[in-house]
Amino acid sequence: MRDTYGVRKRTVAILGASGTVGQRFIALLASHPWFEIAALTTSDAKAGKRFGDVTAWHFAADMPDGIANMKLQATRDDIDAEVCFSALPPDAAAQWEAALAKTGHHVFSNVKTHREDADVPLIIAEVNPDHAAALEVQRKKRGWSGSIVTNGNCSAITFALAAAPLHKTFGIEKVVVSTMQAVSGAGYPGVPSLDAIDNVIPFIGEEEEKMERETKKFLGSWDGKAFADADFAFSAHCNRVPVRDGHTETVSLSLRGDPSVDEVMDTMRTFRGKPQELRLPTAPQCPVIVRAERDRPQPIRDRDAGKGMSVVVGRVREDPVLGYKYVVLGHNTIRGAAGASVLNAELLAAEERI
Amino acid sequence: MRDTYGVRKRTVAILGASGTVGQRFIALLASHPWFEIAALTTSDAKAGKRFGDVTAWHFAADMPDGIANMKLQATRDDIDAEVCFSALPPDAAAQWEAALAKTGHHVFSNVKTHREDADVPLIIAEVNPDHAAALEVQRKKRGWSGSIVTNGNCSAITFALAAAPLHKTFGIEKVVVSTMQAVSGAGYPGVPSLDAIDNVIPFIGEEEEKMERETKKFLGSWDGKAFADADFAFSAHCNRVPVRDGHTETVSLSLRGDPSVDEVMDTMRTFRGKPQELRLPTAPQCPVIVRAERDRPQPIRDRDAGKGMSVVVGRVREDPVLGYKYVVLGHNTIRGAAGASVLNAELLAAEERI
Amino acid sequence: MRDTYGVRKRTVAILGASGTVGQRFIALLASHPWFEIAALTTSDAKAGKRFGDVTAWHFAADMPDGIANMKLQATRDDIDAEVCFSALPPDAAAQWEAALAKTGHHVFSNVKTHREDADVPLIIAEVNPDHAAALEVQRKKRGWSGSIVTNGNCSAITFALAAAPLHKTFGIEKVVVSTMQAVSGAGYPGVPSLDAIDNVIPFIGEEEEKMERETKKFLGSWDGKAFADADFAFSAHCNRVPVRDGHTETVSLSLRGDPSVDEVMDTMRTFRGKPQELRLPTAPQCPVIVRAERDRPQPIRDRDAGKGMSVVVGRVREDPVLGYKYVVLGHNTIRGAAGASVLNAELLAAEERI
Amino acid sequence: MRDTYGVRKRTVAILGASGTVGQRFIALLASHPWFEIAALTTSDAKAGKRFGDVTAWHFAADMPDGIANMKLQATRDDIDAEVCFSALPPDAAAQWEAALAKTGHHVFSNVKTHREDADVPLIIAEVNPDHAAALEVQRKKRGWSGSIVTNGNCSAITFALAAAPLHKTFGIEKVVVSTMQAVSGAGYPGVPSLDAIDNVIPFIGEEEEKMERETKKFLGSWDGKAFADADFAFSAHCNRVPVRDGHTETVSLSLRGDPSVDEVMDTMRTFRGKPQELRLPTAPQCPVIVRAERDRPQPIRDRDAGKGMSVVVGRVREDPVLGYKYVVLGHNTIRGAAGASVLNAELLAAEERI
């Protein structure tokens, strides 16, 4: 059966379904036109139980109908689903993602485990959809009938989506970014409230390293055989602030070619990618929204822009040190996690790569 | 009468006593060995009333004994006090600070009004105590028997106090700083809770400009006739976060001479200034505390270091773009406001400049 | 023109449109099937300006299309609209609401000014729709062609909507309620963040008195000539907590007739009123949702139930002192303010009382 | 050796030293005139390690000198210390507290395990110091040379300390209390920030039951053979709010004898107990502070009253249902936990019961 887009319906499994990212996957996929939730997996300890009985639902609305009654399965490599969205803990991801790809599943992973593998594409659907071509090498080399595609870390995606049009148009030379990240980025239970209320934690384990490496892979290239990192200097300061959802990042950067501030803003504002061209179900109309108010973006007011799939930029201006500066905000568990995976899967489904 | 330091007791007035900074002045001066609170001033509307009747005390402990019963005076130029600590609104500061200096008062102002005047020193007592020599020019040129000394903006003081030893020892070339500032920096009522809870505001009016200009004046020089700004490129991103007290700042900077990270840390850690040398009553033992933990400084745990008069630095490390990076935190209403003024007054009293 | 419900379209004005409740009215009415926004009013100072130029929009989504370009009018008694939704400050309400009713407007007011008037109905559409009959007396006695209908205070509505089925079915004898109210209840700028972060304020001006008097009027009767208060003892403790939206209330109460806890829960759960019967556009399917989880309702998870028009009850159990206890939560600016007014207007329009 | 009070110095151990309450014990005992920290215990897993290496210190100031270097011991019954302050997890408390008492240690426990035992006193030093007489029965019956004394739950202590003078003077008949409890009450990591920010949790496991039972034991009597509970009806609603420290409780209660509101306030304000009489080191001057402001007590402003050992009462007024109502606030980890144990130990040391 094919829907109005001409894309056939696929069964999907959500791996690690009861965590915060797993729940976001459920919320995004519960009434998806192309994907049908066929399985929810979890640790062996919870397997066999009813999802609704063992999961505290973190979101405002109730669990989607039907989900509460699904029986949780232990994560295994013979799951009965074509596509797997992975929100597994790193250990379980190391154990099962490759095994599932080997047995023919198309795994879209939000986990860091395979992000830096030489034959695993790390994709933001608007930014580097061409990296999906690496799947041919991946399958051939590994003897897989399935595949693994990863999306990146929430803070890296937020940065890279807004910076991509600047890199494509002008070329980035240097970046200093300082983040103010929401507590949901650490999952549940995640950040203790005694560390969050009336406080800032100026450190997030491995986050600065991930931001640097992933940004360079996102904005880098695939030459048919290997990925080449983008070539610029990148420095991140990663901080946790008492915000529920939405990562805010202040960015100072230098660009080649001396564009005006207006050119910089126009370049971001008019950026569109394949998801917009193909009108993918989860694609926001505008991936990078540029606001004119002097005090935006703000988590409360902007994190749900484009149903959480747009990033919002504000305060684009000159920087006395690096040339340009601005603020960018993205919804960390939607655009920065589950939504990014779903969009990648939609892209590859529409292109018939999976 | 002279105290154990050989410094005679002076009567002081607090101008604008009922606001958050005015209250901090009261808390710091209530049992001060050199200064005796003789007058509290306010707007004409509240003048004549008992302080305790018209002031909501913002701090944990009760108002100091005796303060609640003091009668508020309208701000005028004939206040009966030698030293005036000013927490006036900008308009009132413009009207009264110079008038008070003319009539022989020594005004230590926390207000921005005169900070950039060519003959008004902007002082952090440990950083540029020699700028106090400008008072001779000030008095002569303006025909004043009194004087005006200013301290700076809270975010500028926090940055400059930690950066001063680096600038003195190595020389700063470029700085990119991103702040996460507490709501108390905006006074009371200040930031509405609907803008603060679960939110970040990536803009504070004039703050970035003030940080740049004041930092350059603090780290600049006085040649006997004029101030010369320090010569480096400076870029600030100023943000408000849901924290009560304590500004956290991420700093990336380049230094001359290629010091090691250990040298950078040692330089900050061992920095001492005149306040420490003279053992001024409000001087912290250590103006810049450098912590080794990977997740410090934090507002909750570090803002009260040195009774709020130390700044706390952490995460000193290499920066791929500018060379060095670290996090610095200061108590914005103590070291960043009232405490800075009091320390300046102690310094000038100890040096018999006032 | 009549819509599918057979209710003709009416033009409406929002009085005091730029405040938090005014903005909620706009959000609720922007695409309403029966009401068409024809005018936005404000203080004389802002009149003549474009709404979008003078209003900081408080909500996540952008201002509805078309609203930003509307020109604000000064509040006057000749507004060109049939129905007026009032979110005026109390002074302006005192000046204009009666004047507008006199000139033929039907005023639905969220303001306290006329709530206790002997001929002004105070209505929760599900609870006491029969009080609307008082409009006949009101018009006759005052010589008005229009009318004033009020809704109540947010904390009173939340309590009364959940308690109404209990009072109707069993009869309430005594109530002790303690509230934990959101900061949005105080409007904007409202509660300073220095009073909110890491704090509780155990006092809200006039709130306890309003809760008591309004609850008794809501649950009381109209005998054709006068309102009679419900007859029970009522005690409220009103507290402000660091929550953006959603008032949580703990309730202990005694009921006549010794019902079981299950009967109490069923009575609340199965309660329906005229808005449900008439399928009014803003009516929630279920006005009182009763949850079984032991840790619900919670603001984050339950305030948007029924698009903010349901109240959510949990933890119904025996009380060793008064017989029964539970927790109830309502969205204070939707069900507790703007949404309540809109539902009242829908009810009176459907019944052709306006 | 006896100090100025004539009380000899005792060695003490802190059981479960690395948790939030354990750390409070350290902070309170680090420079105590009568007690000298001789041992810190922990789970077997951490035993042998340096305290400073395995403990994240939760408080503003640094760890007391000397403590960081102490070696953690596994909890055993042969600890070399006369007095043991227990902040053990319940399981470990069940295993070790009685064993330690058997081997001659005097255990002052903050844990719930033995609070309801028929021969274990549950003491607030100002409220029921006479219950310490039960230790004779305890030792005799159990054949112990040591002893166990417990303090209560934080919310129960806060309530009972303020209510005790009312019960002693007038007699309490009925109480309805609703709490707004700080997150530190749940320890560390405790409440996840996703449950705390912008939220209220209207449920705390077993808390309402503990409040009821412990309050009745505190305010009850010891007749030489057994404890008899106080005889009144008690109902609690326990809620978690986004506050770091300080439990706020709204109280409605009925008293015998129809006292005036002024009599009620005077009775609380003038209440003093044995700790005040004996001038115990940790005793606050005034156990119950009654404030006149209409918006107090508040956590931010009042939790540190009496160094956290006073409770603060405000808004004492008539209650239409039960007669009287007020708000009370106590510091949950000082007066409500570690400080209460220390004061109990001081009392028994001064009375030479241990």
Side-chain angles (χ1 to χ4, degrees):
Chain A
M1 192 195 78
R2 292 184 166 267
D3 83 345
T4 50
Y5 293 79
V7 175
R8 69 176 173 81
K9 197 112 182 177
R10 284 161 170 84
T11 53
V12 307
I14 297 165
L15 316 180
S18 60
T20 44
V21 174
Q23 293 189 20
R24 276 285 179 208
F25 274 123
I26 292 173
L28 291 166
L29 294 168
S31 55
H32 195 281
W34 300 354
F35 301 129
E36 185 172 37
I37 300 177
L40 304 176
T41 85
T42 183
S43 61
D44 290 13
K46 286 187 189 166
K49 293 186 177 149
R50 201 178 146 271
F51 181 76
D53 290 339
V54 297
T55 308
W57 189 247
H58 293 305
F59 306 128
D62 281 331
M63 282 183 201
D65 287 348
I67 294 295
N69 285 319
M70 287 186 71
K71 194 169 282 188
L72 284 161
Q73 304 178 22
T75 307
R76 290 291 180 271
D77 64 3
D78 60 353
I79 295 168
D80 189 13
E82 288 178 77
V83 173
C84 294
F85 291 102
S86 170
L88 290 170
D91 287 358
Q95 186 176 3
W96 294 114
E97 289 184 354
L100 280 156
K102 192 171 181 185
T103 55
H105 301 83
H106 299 293
V107 179
F108 291 85
S109 175
N110 185 55
V111 189
K112 65 176 179 180
T113 309
H114 295 287
R115 283 181 197 158
E116 298 180 37
D117 289 5
D119 58 354
V120 173
L122 178 73
I123 296 181
I124 298 174
E126 286 91 344
V127 171
N128 58 335
D130 54 306
H131 288 207
L135 289 187
E136 290 162 38
V137 174
Q138 182 190 91
R139 285 170 187 153
K140 194 164 176 183
K141 187 176 134 200
R142 306 215 192 195
W144 289 352
S145 50
S147 58
I148 296 180
V149 171
T150 59
N151 55 293
N153 183 279
C154 42
S155 53
I157 294 176
T158 298
F159 172 79
L161 178 52
L166 303 182
H167 190 56
K168 287 170 202 277
T169 308
F170 309 110
I172 293 174
E173 290 179 321
K174 294 174 188 170
V175 180
V176 176
V177 59
S178 186
T179 71
M180 293 168 281
Q181 300 184 223
V183 296
S184 62
Y188 185 89
V191 183
S193 51
L194 280 172
D195 286 337
I197 296 173
D198 190 18
N199 205 25
V200 167
I201 307 279
F203 174 76
I204 301 174
E206 289 183 73
E207 193 84 358
E208 296 169 356
E209 294 79 1
K210 282 191 272 185
M211 269 198 92
E212 177 173 358
R213 291 191 305 253
E214 296 178 14
T215 296
K216 290 180 177 175
K217 190 166 179 181
F218 281 135
L219 302 184
S221 60
W222 168 257
D223 69 0
K225 295 182 186 162
F227 296 109
D229 275 356
D231 181 26
F232 48 74
F234 186 95
S235 172
H237 299 260
C238 290
N239 305 284
R240 190 77 70 193
V241 294
V243 164
R244 295 185 64 86
D245 289 306
H247 288 356
T248 309
E249 307 181 355
T250 64
V251 177
S252 289
L253 85 181
S254 51
L255 297 173
R256 291 179 214 281
D258 199 27
S260 71
V261 165
D262 281 344
E263 286 172 301
V264 168
M265 284 196 285
D266 285 347
T267 302
M268 292 197 274
R269 185 186 289 122
T270 59
F271 175 61
R272 299 292 182 277
K274 276 206 172 169
Q276 285 73 39
E277 193 184 306
L278 298 171
R279 297 173 184 273
L280 299 179
T282 301
Q285 217 179 339
C286 186
V288 186
I289 295 171
V290 180
R291 298 200 68 109
E293 299 92 331
R294 64 181 193 174
D295 61 353
R296 298 286 280 270
Q298 297 172 17
I300 271 292
R301 294 180 169 88
D302 294 301
R303 62 191 169 201
D304 291 325
K307 295 188 180 171
M309 288 298 289
S310 298
V311 297
V312 181
V313 166
R315 305 199 70 215
V316 185
R317 59 207 193 283
E318 291 187 357
D319 181 289
V321 175
L322 291 176
Y324 307 90
K325 55 183 170 178
Y326 57 84
V327 184
V328 60
L329 180 147
H331 196 301
N332 54 301
T333 67
I334 303 178
R335 172 51 92 162
S341 267
V342 172
L343 193 62
N344 284 346
E346 289 171 1
L347 177 69
L348 270 65
E351 293 185 330
E352 306 202 327
R353 288 184 185 275
I354 61 168
Chain B
M1 193 195 77
R2 290 181 166 270
D3 84 344
T4 50
Y5 293 77
V7 175
R8 69 176 172 80
K9 198 113 182 177
R10 284 161 169 84
T11 53
V12 307
I14 297 164
L15 315 181
S18 59
T20 43
V21 174
Q23 293 187 21
R24 275 286 179 206
F25 273 124
I26 291 172
L28 291 167
L29 294 168
S31 56
H32 196 280
W34 300 354
F35 301 128
E36 184 172 40
I37 299 177
L40 304 176
T41 84
T42 184
S43 63
D44 290 14
K46 286 187 191 166
K49 293 185 178 149
R50 201 177 147 271
F51 182 76
D53 291 339
V54 296
T55 307
W57 189 247
H58 293 306
F59 307 126
D62 281 330
M63 282 183 201
D65 288 348
I67 294 294
N69 285 320
M70 286 185 73
K71 194 168 283 188
L72 285 161
Q73 305 177 20
T75 308
R76 291 290 180 274
D77 63 4
D78 60 353
I79 295 168
D80 189 13
E82 287 178 77
V83 173
C84 294
F85 291 102
S86 171
L88 292 170
D91 288 359
Q95 185 176 3
W96 293 114
E97 289 184 354
L100 280 156
K102 192 172 181 185
T103 55
H105 301 83
H106 299 294
V107 179
F108 291 86
S109 176
N110 186 56
V111 190
K112 66 177 179 179
T113 309
H114 295 288
R115 281 181 199 159
E116 297 180 37
D117 289 6
D119 57 354
V120 173
L122 177 74
I123 296 180
I124 298 174
E126 286 90 345
V127 172
N128 58 337
D130 55 305
H131 288 206
L135 291 187
E136 289 162 38
V137 173
Q138 183 191 89
R139 285 170 187 153
K140 194 164 176 182
K141 186 177 135 199
R142 307 217 192 193
W144 289 352
S145 50
S147 59
I148 297 180
V149 171
T150 59
N151 54 293
N153 183 278
C154 42
S155 54
I157 294 176
T158 298
F159 172 78
L161 178 52
L166 304 182
H167 190 57
K168 286 172 202 278
T169 307
F170 309 110
I172 293 173
E173 290 179 322
K174 294 174 188 172
V175 181
V176 176
V177 58
S178 187
T179 70
M180 294 168 280
Q181 300 184 222
V183 296
S184 61
Y188 186 88
V191 182
S193 51
L194 281 171
D195 286 339
I197 296 172
D198 190 18
N199 205 24
V200 167
I201 307 279
F203 174 76
I204 300 174
E206 291 184 71
E207 193 84 356
E208 294 169 356
E209 294 80 359
K210 282 192 273 186
M211 268 196 92
E212 178 174 357
R213 290 191 306 252
E214 295 178 12
T215 296
K216 289 180 176 175
K217 190 166 178 181
F218 280 136
L219 300 184
S221 60
W222 167 255
D223 68 2
K225 294 182 184 160
F227 295 109
D229 276 355
D231 181 25
F232 49 73
F234 186 96
S235 172
H237 299 261
C238 290
N239 305 285
R240 190 77 70 192
V241 294
V243 165
R244 295 185 63 85
D245 289 305
H247 289 356
T248 309
E249 308 182 355
T250 64
V251 177
S252 289
L253 84 180
S254 51
L255 297 172
R256 291 180 214 282
D258 200 27
S260 70
V261 164
D262 281 344
E263 286 172 302
V264 168
M265 283 197 285
D266 286 346
T267 301
M268 291 197 275
R269 185 186 289 124
T270 59
F271 176 61
R272 299 291 182 279
K274 274 203 173 170
Q276 284 73 40
E277 192 184 307
L278 299 171
R279 297 172 183 272
L280 299 179
T282 301
Q285 217 178 340
C286 186
V288 186
I289 295 170
V290 180
R291 296 198 71 107
E293 299 92 330
R294 64 182 194 172
D295 62 354
R296 299 284 282 270
Q298 298 173 16
I300 271 292
R301 293 180 171 89
D302 294 301
R303 63 192 170 201
D304 291 325
K307 295 187 178 171
M309 288 298 290
S310 297
V311 296
V312 181
V313 165
R315 304 199 69 215
V316 184
R317 58 207 194 283
E318 291 188 358
D319 181 289
V321 174
L322 291 176
Y324 308 90
K325 56 183 170 178
Y326 58 84
V327 184
V328 59
L329 180 146
H331 195 301
N332 54 300
T333 68
I334 301 179
R335 173 49 93 163
S341 267
V342 172
L343 193 62
N344 284 344
E346 289 172 1
L347 176 70
L348 271 65
E351 293 185 329
E352 305 203 326
R353 287 183 185 277
I354 60 168
Chain C
M1 194 197 76
R2 290 179 169 271
D3 84 345
T4 50
Y5 292 78
V7 175
R8 69 175 173 83
K9 197 111 182 178
R10 285 161 170 82
T11 53
V12 307
I14 297 165
L15 315 181
S18 59
T20 43
V21 174
Q23 293 187 20
R24 275 284 179 208
F25 274 123
I26 291 173
L28 291 166
L29 294 167
S31 55
H32 195 281
W34 300 355
F35 301 129
E36 185 173 37
I37 300 176
L40 304 176
T41 84
T42 184
S43 62
D44 290 13
K46 287 188 190 165
K49 295 189 175 146
R50 200 177 148 273
F51 181 76
D53 291 339
V54 296
T55 307
W57 189 247
H58 293 306
F59 307 127
D62 282 330
M63 284 184 198
D65 288 349
I67 293 295
N69 286 320
M70 287 186 71
K71 194 169 280 188
L72 284 161
Q73 305 176 22
T75 308
R76 292 290 180 272
D77 64 3
D78 60 354
I79 296 168
D80 189 12
E82 287 179 79
V83 173
C84 295
F85 291 102
S86 170
L88 291 169
D91 287 359
Q95 186 177 3
W96 294 113
E97 289 184 354
L100 281 155
K102 193 171 180 185
T103 55
H105 301 82
H106 299 294
V107 178
F108 291 86
S109 175
N110 186 56
V111 190
K112 66 177 179 178
T113 310
H114 295 288
R115 282 181 198 159
E116 298 180 37
D117 289 5
D119 58 354
V120 172
L122 177 74
I123 296 180
I124 298 174
E126 285 91 344
V127 171
N128 58 336
D130 55 306
H131 288 207
L135 290 187
E136 290 163 38
V137 173
Q138 182 191 91
R139 285 169 186 156
K140 194 164 176 183
K141 187 178 134 199
R142 306 217 193 193
W144 289 352
S145 49
S147 59
I148 298 180
V149 171
T150 59
N151 55 292
N153 182 279
C154 42
S155 54
I157 294 176
T158 298
F159 172 77
L161 178 52
L166 304 182
H167 190 57
K168 287 171 203 276
T169 307
F170 309 110
I172 292 173
E173 290 179 321
K174 294 173 188 171
V175 180
V176 176
V177 59
S178 186
T179 70
M180 293 168 280
Q181 300 184 221
V183 296
S184 62
Y188 186 89
V191 182
S193 51
L194 280 172
D195 286 339
I197 296 172
D198 190 18
N199 204 25
V200 168
I201 307 278
F203 174 76
I204 301 173
E206 289 183 74
E207 192 84 356
E208 295 170 357
E209 295 79 0
K210 283 191 274 187
M211 269 198 93
E212 177 173 359
R213 291 191 305 252
E214 295 178 12
T215 296
K216 289 180 175 175
K217 191 168 178 181
F218 281 135
L219 301 184
S221 60
W222 167 255
D223 69 1
K225 294 182 183 161
F227 295 109
D229 275 355
D231 182 26
F232 49 73
F234 186 97
S235 172
H237 299 261
C238 289
N239 304 285
R240 190 77 69 192
V241 295
V243 165
R244 296 185 63 85
D245 289 305
H247 289 356
T248 309
E249 307 182 356
T250 65
V251 178
S252 289
L253 84 181
S254 52
L255 297 172
R256 291 180 214 283
D258 201 27
S260 70
V261 164
D262 280 345
E263 286 171 302
V264 167
M265 282 196 285
D266 286 347
T267 302
M268 291 196 275
R269 184 187 289 123
T270 58
F271 175 61
R272 299 291 182 276
K274 276 205 171 169
Q276 285 72 39
E277 193 183 306
L278 299 171
R279 298 173 182 271
L280 299 178
T282 301
Q285 216 178 341
C286 186
V288 186
I289 294 170
V290 180
R291 297 199 72 108
E293 299 93 331
R294 64 181 194 174
D295 62 354
R296 299 285 282 269
Q298 297 172 16
I300 271 292
R301 294 180 170 88
D302 294 300
R303 62 190 171 202
D304 291 324
K307 295 188 180 172
M309 289 298 290
S310 297
V311 296
V312 181
V313 166
R315 303 199 71 214
V316 185
R317 58 208 195 281
E318 290 187 359
D319 180 289
V321 174
L322 291 175
Y324 308 90
K325 56 183 171 179
Y326 58 84
V327 184
V328 60
L329 180 145
H331 195 301
N332 53 300
T333 67
I334 302 179
R335 173 50 93 162
S341 267
V342 171
L343 193 62
N344 283 346
E346 290 171 0
L347 177 69
L348 269 66
E351 293 185 329
E352 306 203 327
R353 287 186 185 274
I354 59 168
Chain D
M1 192 196 79
R2 292 180 166 270
D3 84 344
T4 50
Y5 294 75
V7 175
R8 69 174 173 83
K9 198 113 183 176
R10 284 161 170 83
T11 53
V12 307
I14 297 165
L15 316 180
S18 60
T20 44
V21 174
Q23 293 189 19
R24 276 285 180 208
F25 274 123
I26 291 173
L28 290 166
L29 294 167
S31 55
H32 195 281
W34 301 355
F35 301 128
E36 185 172 37
I37 300 177
L40 304 176
T41 84
T42 183
S43 62
D44 290 13
K46 287 188 191 164
K49 294 187 177 148
R50 201 177 147 271
F51 181 77
D53 291 340
V54 296
T55 308
W57 189 248
H58 293 307
F59 306 127
D62 281 331
M63 282 184 200
D65 287 350
I67 294 294
N69 285 320
M70 287 185 72
K71 195 168 282 188
L72 285 160
Q73 305 178 20
T75 308
R76 290 291 180 273
D77 63 4
D78 60 354
I79 295 168
D80 189 13
E82 287 179 77
V83 173
C84 295
F85 291 102
S86 170
L88 292 170
D91 288 0
Q95 186 176 3
W96 294 114
E97 289 184 354
L100 280 155
K102 192 170 180 187
T103 55
H105 300 82
H106 299 293
V107 179
F108 291 85
S109 174
N110 186 56
V111 190
K112 66 178 180 179
T113 309
H114 295 287
R115 282 182 199 159
E116 298 180 37
D117 289 5
D119 58 355
V120 173
L122 178 73
I123 297 180
I124 299 174
E126 286 90 344
V127 171
N128 59 337
D130 56 306
H131 288 206
L135 291 187
E136 289 163 38
V137 173
Q138 182 190 90
R139 285 168 187 157
K140 194 164 177 183
K141 187 177 134 198
R142 307 216 191 194
W144 289 352
S145 50
S147 59
I148 298 180
V149 171
T150 59
N151 54 292
N153 182 279
C154 42
S155 54
I157 293 176
T158 298
F159 172 78
L161 178 51
L166 304 182
H167 190 57
K168 287 170 201 277
T169 307
F170 309 111
I172 293 174
E173 289 179 322
K174 294 174 189 171
V175 181
V176 176
V177 59
S178 187
T179 70
M180 293 169 280
Q181 299 183 222
V183 295
S184 61
Y188 186 88
V191 182
S193 51
L194 281 172
D195 286 339
I197 296 173
D198 190 19
N199 204 24
V200 168
I201 307 279
F203 174 76
I204 301 174
E206 290 183 72
E207 192 85 357
E208 295 170 356
E209 295 79 0
K210 282 192 273 186
M211 268 197 93
E212 178 173 357
R213 291 191 305 253
E214 296 178 12
T215 296
K216 289 180 177 175
K217 191 167 179 181
F218 281 134
L219 300 184
S221 60
W222 167 257
D223 69 0
K225 293 181 184 161
F227 296 108
D229 275 355
D231 181 25
F232 49 74
F234 186 96
S235 172
H237 300 260
C238 291
N239 305 285
R240 190 76 69 191
V241 294
V243 164
R244 296 184 63 86
D245 290 305
H247 289 356
T248 310
E249 307 181 355
T250 65
V251 177
S252 289
L253 84 181
S254 52
L255 297 173
R256 292 179 214 281
D258 201 27
S260 70
V261 165
D262 281 345
E263 287 172 302
V264 168
M265 283 196 287
D266 285 347
T267 301
M268 290 196 277
R269 185 186 288 124
T270 59
F271 175 62
R272 299 291 182 278
K274 275 205 173 170
Q276 285 73 40
E277 193 184 305
L278 298 172
R279 298 172 181 272
L280 299 178
T282 301
Q285 215 178 343
C286 186
V288 186
I289 294 170
V290 180
R291 297 200 70 110
E293 299 92 329
R294 64 182 194 174
D295 61 354
R296 300 285 283 269
Q298 297 172 16
I300 271 293
R301 293 179 171 88
D302 294 301
R303 63 191 169 201
D304 291 324
K307 296 188 178 170
M309 287 299 289
S310 297
V311 297
V312 181
V313 165
R315 304 199 69 213
V316 185
R317 58 209 196 281
E318 291 187 358
D319 181 289
V321 174
L322 291 175
Y324 307 89
K325 57 182 169 179
Y326 58 84
V327 184
V328 59
L329 180 145
H331 195 301
N332 54 300
T333 67
I334 302 179
R335 173 50 93 161
S341 267
V342 172
L343 193 62
N344 284 345
E346 289 171 359
L347 177 69
L348 270 65
E351 292 185 330
E352 305 203 327
R353 287 184 184 275
I354 61 168

